Amino acid sequence: MRNKFKSIFILALLFCLNSFAQVKISGVVIDEQNQSIPFANIVFVGSNIGTVSDENGKFYLESDKTYTQIEVSFLGFDTKKLSVKNRDYNLKIILTEAAAQLGEVFIYGGKVKKKGNPAIAILEKIWARKRHNGIYLFDQYQYEKYEKLEFDMNNVDSAFMKKKLFKGMEFIFEEIDTSNITGKSYLPIFINESVYNSFGRNTGGKKLREDLIANKNSGFNSNQNVIAFIKDLYVDYDVYDSYIKIFDKSFVSPISKAAGVSTYNYVLSDSAFVDNKWCYNIIYYPRRKGELTFKGDFWVNDTTFAIKEINMQVNKSANINWVKDIYIEQEFDVLNDSVFLLKRDYMLSDFSLNKKDKSKGLYGKRTTMYKNYAFNLPKEDKFYAIESNIYDQNIYNKTEDYWGVNRQEKLNENELGIYKMLDTLSTVPKFKRLYNLVSILGSGYIEYNKFDYGPIFSTFGKNDVEGWRIRVGGRTYLGGNEPWRVQAYTAYGLKDNQFKYGVSGKWMLDPKSRFTIGAGNRRDIEQIGVSLTTTNDVLGRSFASSSLFSSGDNSKLTSINLSNVFFSIEPKNNLEFRLGASYRTLKSASPETFNLDYWVDEDNGIKKSDVVQSEIDFSIRYTPNRKTIGYGVERNEVSTTYSTLFLNYSRGIKGVLNSDFDYEKIQFYYKQPILIGGFGRMFTTFEVGKTFGEAPLGLLNVVPGNQSYFTIENTYSLLDYYEFVTDTYASLHVEHSFNGRFLSRIPLLRKLNLREIVGVKGVWGEISDENKALNASNISYLAPDKPYIEYNVGIGNIFKVFRLDFSWRGNYRDVPNANNFAIKGAFGFHF
């Protein structure tokens, strides 16, 4: 009995010691006038553990060790020490303004002067030694990588837990924890772990091969979509670069030589040993609000002047949507004066609808750790060409003993509990219903057994010929990675009282080369001529064919019957070759208002109203840096800002199945996104093409107009349909978004987080005399032989989801019924 009592006493004592060995404090730093002090430095006395208050003076600080005092300092104020308890929340810390001493204080209004600042003197020594990541200094390298991805629901409080939504699922709240960065309670809801063997080469063409050795996933099969989404958000970055790309935006690096001093204030705060190396601690914070900047601190070695540790937290006023907080930590092994190796990389993002402190959201976390670096172990070229089989089931069936050895960072109790919790949650019917609802909104399809109905967003449409249009359709679905797929739809117009349909099928015969065959047929009403570069997509449908809102006459629609077969192969990732054949008939869907007539014998007044055409086509599509998931005949894209190069050659063959015309057509399309440091992102689109031989209106290249009230990519906002007709063309679109770089500096507009957009579009084209003579339609051919130009200025990020564009013509302003100015909008979700 005594021994039992003794054991209970020891356990209780250990519990108490553990409880009081963790210190958590939060609060706000203010001055004597009750004004918040942003970017004040708060540290536990006797440690290197600290933080910097945000732009509203608020802070949170936590440690697993027992500390009883904190020190609060800010230039121009007296440093203050305070006693703290293990749980101190909502502290109000008042700093007293220091009396200025001659030659001692070099700040004004919180902005640090550059001259005489020892922190900037250290920065200059950092810049003088050009840093190199060690893996790029050797011909070949390799390392082991451990990656952990996690999603957590945050700001979970008692009121939230009592909501009816969670009735029957209360057990999930047993895993609640508190973030050591933000101090918010959170509930882990998803985790994925991976172990890789990575091999790289720098000479003879850079190569990187990553073999997935092990993967442990919580939740559901479709979590691969979540994994790909997180990995695409969290791209690699280098703190020594001038700009750090996060969420497709360029943040000024605190180590930036080009823009650091003009963007940040730097303060030399402390010096201490970090991993047996004497280091200086420098605090930094932004000079202005609203810009894409960080706050935080870094430790730099006193002899090599290499960064040893750094943390970066994005300011809440930064012009970025749906993200309340971004926090980054990096740790390095410094090899010598100019060489470092990344040891640990951690990034946390707080996704939320707004930036209020109590708003609920999701944490997205990525932890990456590296070990066992090795260099110049020779590998042949063919070694880097081998791709590991990521669908090998042995990767996903590793034992707990394996994970215990190969995790470079142990999971805490809450993270370990995610696996069990989600396995249980997946059996709850209510959760299954919620999960299915989210899946429908995300994919646009309603899932049934081996069949998807949709896309639901195409159910209704409207145009001048069909009136209201109702569409139903679906596709086979066997899990998302099936080698074949069949899709079909039917539609009915309430005005023309006609049924339409489309059906297509694809079958991937060889997964390795993605050798695929396909065929389909579509009979429908279409607004052709809304894209310069054309394809033979059987189930494709242009926005103009059933726009709910349009301006002007929307009756220039064509009744199309299109059949095609094709073969495609992808010998290299994102490089696709395609060979196809098509047969189509074209005729006006509204002969009273529009026709496609052409002369068969003009001397005898014989003309034809429909076009019958057989065609073969060959195309090459290259999309470098495009990221996809899945290995079935259709894959999902998880990246949107990749380059696209497309080359297409097609030939019309007269006489085959009563085909009407012989011609050749060549087209080239190139789209390139360009990230321009801290000045935003530019998109350029270039198209060029030519038709050799005679062709009627339905087969020519019509400059794409836009008669909707919305901004549509690769169209001309002020052109009507068929306003310009060509058989030879060149088009260039350039648009640049400054991401609020200038508007963020205007005090009255800063809080709106608006973004400036400017653009110019131009097209040149010709139409041959032979094709002019062939024309018998009610469309008068006009080609922009003097380039047509449009300009636009826009304001984006209105209420975070809307964009407004103001467009005007640069020329052709005297064309009859010309639209010389327009205001159009667009909805979209952007970070």
Side-chain angles (χ1 to χ4, degrees):
M1 182 71 179
R2 181 177 298 175
N3 289 336
K4 184 176 180 181
F5 176 80
K6 186 177 180 179
S7 299
I8 294 173
F9 176 79
I10 291 172
L11 288 172
L13 180 61
L14 289 173
F15 175 78
C16 292
L17 288 173
N18 182 64
S19 298
F20 286 98
Q22 190 178 54
V23 185
K24 298 181 178 181
I25 62 172
S26 67
V28 62
V29 183
I30 60 175
D31 62 16
E32 293 175 299
Q33 284 73 44
N34 205 34
Q35 298 296 312
S36 63
I37 300 178
F39 314 122
N41 187 33
I42 305 100
V43 297
F44 286 119
V45 175
S47 78
N48 295 332
I49 302 170
T51 188
V52 179
S53 64
D54 67 17
E55 53 210 87
N56 297 314
K58 296 181 179 179
F59 70 92
Y60 176 81
L61 190 58
E62 176 181 319
S63 175
D64 291 332
K65 297 181 179 180
T66 301
Y67 293 104
T68 59
Q69 281 187 311
I70 60 170
E71 182 177 276
V72 185
S73 60
F74 186 68
L75 287 174
F77 291 83
D78 289 330
T79 298
K80 190 169 189 176
K81 289 185 179 180
L82 292 93
S83 297
V84 293
K85 301 175 183 178
N86 66 308
R87 298 287 192 276
D88 257 340
Y89 294 110
N90 301 318
L91 295 174
K92 185 178 287 188
I93 302 171
I94 303 174
L95 295 186
T96 304
E97 193 167 351
Q101 298 180 21
L102 186 64
E104 186 176 302
V105 178
F106 50 89
I107 65 165
Y108 178 76
K111 292 187 177 181
V112 180
K113 291 184 178 180
K114 302 173 186 178
K115 187 175 180 180
N117 186 343
I120 294 180
I122 293 173
L123 275 171
E124 290 172 345
K125 293 181 179 180
I126 295 174
W127 300 330
R129 292 163 170 81
K130 188 174 182 180
R131 299 293 154 198
H132 298 283
N133 190 326
I135 63 174
Y136 300 120
L137 297 180
F138 301 90
D139 291 343
Q140 299 190 60
Y141 59 89
Q142 61 190 62
Y143 53 83
E144 295 177 27
K145 183 173 82 170
Y146 167 76
E147 185 176 65
K148 179 175 65 177
L149 302 171
E150 184 178 329
F151 261 165
D152 309 318
M153 185 185 302
N154 63 39
N155 261 335
V156 178
D157 53 26
S158 57
F160 183 75
M161 289 187 278
K162 293 177 182 178
K163 288 183 178 291
K164 292 182 179 180
L165 176 69
F166 299 106
K167 189 175 182 180
M169 298 184 288
E170 293 86 354
F171 63 89
I172 67 175
F173 297 112
E174 296 173 2
E175 309 298 334
I176 285 182
D177 200 352
T178 303
S179 170
N180 63 349
I181 296 169
T182 65
K184 297 177 184 176
S185 59
Y186 68 88
L187 173 66
I189 57 176
F190 168 84
I191 190 171
N192 178 270
E193 299 177 90
S194 301
V195 176
Y196 298 88
N197 282 339
S198 302
F199 308 87
R201 184 182 73 183
N202 293 312
T203 57
K206 285 192 175 183
K207 297 288 185 181
L208 177 63
R209 169 179 165 180
E210 285 199 325
D211 294 345
L212 179 62
I213 305 301
N215 182 268
K216 186 175 176 64
N217 195 32
S218 66
F220 314 94
N221 293 332
S222 60
N223 275 346
Q224 291 299 323
N225 292 276
V226 179
I227 296 167
F229 171 72
I230 300 175
K231 288 175 73 70
D232 186 54
L233 291 179
Y234 297 162
V235 296
D236 294 331
Y237 45 83
D238 186 344
V239 295
Y240 287 100
D241 289 339
S242 292
Y243 296 93
I244 296 174
K245 178 187 173 186
I246 304 175
F247 300 128
D248 229 17
K249 299 186 183 302
S250 293
F251 290 76
V252 179
S253 170
I255 315 297
S256 173
K257 181 179 180 180
V261 174
S262 62
T263 305
Y264 292 104
N265 294 299
Y266 296 94
V267 179
L268 177 58
S269 173
D270 199 359
S271 58
F273 281 105
V274 179
D275 289 342
N276 298 318
K277 293 183 183 293
W278 190 256
C279 296
Y280 298 116
N281 181 231
I282 294 178
I283 296 172
Y284 63 89
Y285 53 92
R287 288 179 173 270
R288 294 169 294 273
K289 292 184 178 181
E291 297 183 356
L292 298 178
T293 53
F294 302 97
K295 71 178 181 71
D297 71 308
F298 58 86
W299 291 86
V300 54
N301 183 238
D302 70 328
T303 55
T304 64
F305 292 96
I307 303 299
K308 193 71 177 68
E309 295 179 2
I310 187 170
N311 72 74
M312 302 179 286
Q313 188 167 9
V314 170
N315 291 294
K316 292 183 183 297
S317 64
N319 194 340
I320 184 169
N321 294 330
W322 322 116
V323 180
K324 185 160 50 177
D325 274 311
I326 300 174
Y327 180 81
I328 296 170
E329 287 180 356
Q330 285 193 328
E331 299 175 19
F332 302 92
D333 276 335
V334 180
L335 300 188
N336 54 47
D337 187 58
S338 62
V339 179
F340 68 90
L341 291 172
L342 183 60
K343 182 169 68 175
R344 182 179 185 271
D345 182 17
Y346 173 80
M347 182 174 179
L348 175 146
S349 299
D350 185 355
F351 299 98
S352 179
L353 292 177
N354 61 65
K355 296 188 178 183
K356 294 179 180 179
D357 284 341
K358 295 185 179 181
S359 63
K360 293 174 175 56
L362 290 175
Y363 286 142
K365 304 176 184 177
R366 185 187 75 169
T367 304
T368 311
M369 304 190 72
Y370 306 83
K371 70 176 183 178
N372 295 337
Y373 283 95
F375 303 99
N376 288 341
L377 300 179
K379 302 283 191 302
E380 297 180 358
D381 287 351
K382 62 182 181 181
F383 172 82
Y384 294 100
I386 298 173
E387 295 184 5
S388 62
N389 180 16
I390 63 172
Y391 307 107
D392 181 358
Q393 288 304 308
N394 291 326
I395 294 174
Y396 307 95
N397 296 321
K398 301 294 185 183
T399 65
E400 287 301 322
D401 290 339
Y402 172 90
W403 285 105
V405 172
N406 287 277
R407 282 188 183 109
Q408 295 187 40
E409 182 176 79
K410 291 183 179 180
L411 300 183
N412 60 40
E413 290 184 9
N414 301 85
E415 291 172 332
L416 286 169
I418 298 177
Y419 290 106
K420 181 180 178 181
M421 183 266 286
L422 283 179
D423 286 342
T424 305
L425 192 61
S426 63
T427 64
V428 178
K430 184 175 183 178
F431 179 78
K432 287 182 178 180
R433 291 193 295 270
L434 292 172
Y435 178 79
N436 290 336
L437 177 60
V438 174
S439 177
I440 291 169
L441 295 175
S443 68
Y445 286 88
I446 301 175
E447 297 181 14
Y448 294 97
N449 186 25
K450 297 182 180 181
F451 178 80
D452 282 357
Y453 168 79
I456 58 176
F457 304 115
S458 298
T459 303
F460 296 100
K462 190 176 186 293
N463 59 61
D464 289 350
V465 175
E466 296 176 282
W468 283 101
R469 169 190 171 96
I470 302 173
R471 180 191 185 278
V472 294
R475 65 185 184 185
T476 57
Y477 188 83
L478 308 179
N481 287 317
E482 57 269 30
W484 60 272
R485 174 161 287 169
V486 176
Q487 301 179 76
Y489 77 89
T490 184
Y492 183 76
L494 299 181
K495 183 177 180 180
D496 66 352
N497 297 315
Q498 291 184 14
F499 279 100
K500 298 89 181 175
Y501 72 84
V503 60
S504 74
K506 301 177 182 178
W507 184 19
M508 187 171 61
L509 301 175
D510 179 18
K512 186 174 182 181
S513 65
R514 297 194 59 82
F515 178 65
T516 304
I517 62 174
N521 173 252
R522 170 166 60 106
R523 294 193 178 194
D524 207 338
I525 288 178
E526 184 76 41
Q527 177 67 66
I528 62 175
V530 290
S531 175
L532 279 170
T533 305
T534 57
T535 63
N536 287 321
D537 183 7
V538 168
L539 294 188
R541 183 173 176 81
S542 73
F543 71 92
S545 303
S546 53
S547 175
L548 292 176
F549 305 99
S550 61
S551 61
D553 178 24
N554 188 24
S555 63
K556 297 183 178 67
L557 298 170
T558 299
S559 180
I560 182 170
N561 181 1
L562 171 65
S563 301
N564 81 338
V565 295
F566 73 88
F567 306 86
S568 68
I569 190 169
E570 195 171 309
K572 179 183 176 182
N573 188 37
N574 290 328
L575 177 63
E576 180 190 68
F577 296 90
R578 173 172 168 143
L579 177 65
S582 64
Y583 174 80
R584 77 187 70 202
T585 62
L586 305 172
K587 63 180 181 180
S588 172
S590 177
E592 298 83 9
T593 58
F594 167 69
N595 67 72
L596 297 168
D597 295 356
Y598 61 92
W599 292 109
V600 176
D601 185 348
E602 186 174 5
D603 294 336
N604 294 311
I606 302 173
K607 60 183 177 181
K608 193 175 179 181
S609 298
D610 61 334
V611 180
V612 178
Q613 191 60 48
S614 298
E615 187 178 274
I616 59 172
D617 63 272
F618 174 73
S619 65
I620 304 172
R621 183 183 297 272
Y622 182 45
T623 53
N625 300 318
R626 182 182 65 144
K627 297 177 183 178
T628 61
I629 56 173
Y631 55 91
V633 67
E634 292 186 355
R635 297 172 294 181
N636 293 327
E637 292 187 358
V638 293
S639 56
T640 57
T641 54
Y642 54 83
S643 304
T644 301
L645 294 94
F646 177 74
L647 178 65
N648 182 69
Y649 169 81
S650 55
R651 172 158 189 160
I653 307 174
K654 186 175 183 178
V656 176
L657 300 177
N658 297 317
S659 179
D660 291 323
F661 293 93
D662 264 323
Y663 60 86
E664 292 178 286
K665 183 181 293 187
I666 187 166
Q667 297 174 298
F668 175 73
Y669 172 95
Y670 175 45
K671 181 177 179 179
Q672 177 66 56
I674 305 171
L675 194 63
I676 308 178
F679 287 89
R681 179 177 292 277
M682 177 182 293
F683 286 91
T684 60
T685 304
F686 175 67
E687 297 179 81
V688 62
K690 182 172 179 63
T691 301
F692 301 89
E694 295 183 4
L697 179 61
L699 301 175
L700 292 174
N701 301 112
V702 180
V703 178
N706 178 6
Q707 292 183 208
S708 76
Y709 291 108
F710 297 95
T711 300
I712 307 295
E713 186 178 12
N714 293 335
T715 65
Y716 289 84
S717 298
L718 297 166
L719 291 183
D720 291 336
Y721 306 134
Y722 294 102
E723 189 165 337
F724 288 126
V725 179
T726 74
D727 54 28
T728 304
Y729 66 88
S731 172
L732 177 65
H733 291 207
V734 179
E735 182 174 279
H736 186 84
S737 172
F738 290 97
N739 279 330
R741 182 177 179 87
F742 303 111
L743 293 177
S744 65
R745 301 193 179 196
I746 302 176
L748 295 178
L749 298 178
R750 180 182 296 148
K751 290 186 178 181
L752 298 178
N753 283 334
L754 301 175
R755 298 173 185 172
E756 323 86 340
I757 302 162
V758 296
V760 60
K761 308 173 183 179
V763 60
W764 165 88
E766 292 181 337
I767 186 77
S768 68
D769 292 336
E770 291 79 8
N771 284 327
K772 288 181 180 179
L774 188 65
N775 179 36
S777 72
N778 61 342
I779 300 296
S780 297
Y781 290 177
L782 175 64
D785 49 6
K786 177 183 177 182
Y788 169 78
I789 299 174
E790 277 186 9
Y791 304 98
N792 69 277
V793 174
I795 301 294
N797 209 42
I798 302 172
F799 307 118
K800 298 184 181 180
V801 297
F802 191 67
R803 161 181 169 170
L804 202 60
D805 285 291
F806 303 86
S807 305
W808 62 95
R809 291 194 186 209
N811 53 5
Y812 288 94
R813 300 177 65 87
D814 297 327
V815 173
N817 301 317
N819 297 317
N820 291 321
F821 177 78
I823 301 175
K824 296 180 184 287
F827 289 95
F829 293 86
H830 304 284
F831 284 111

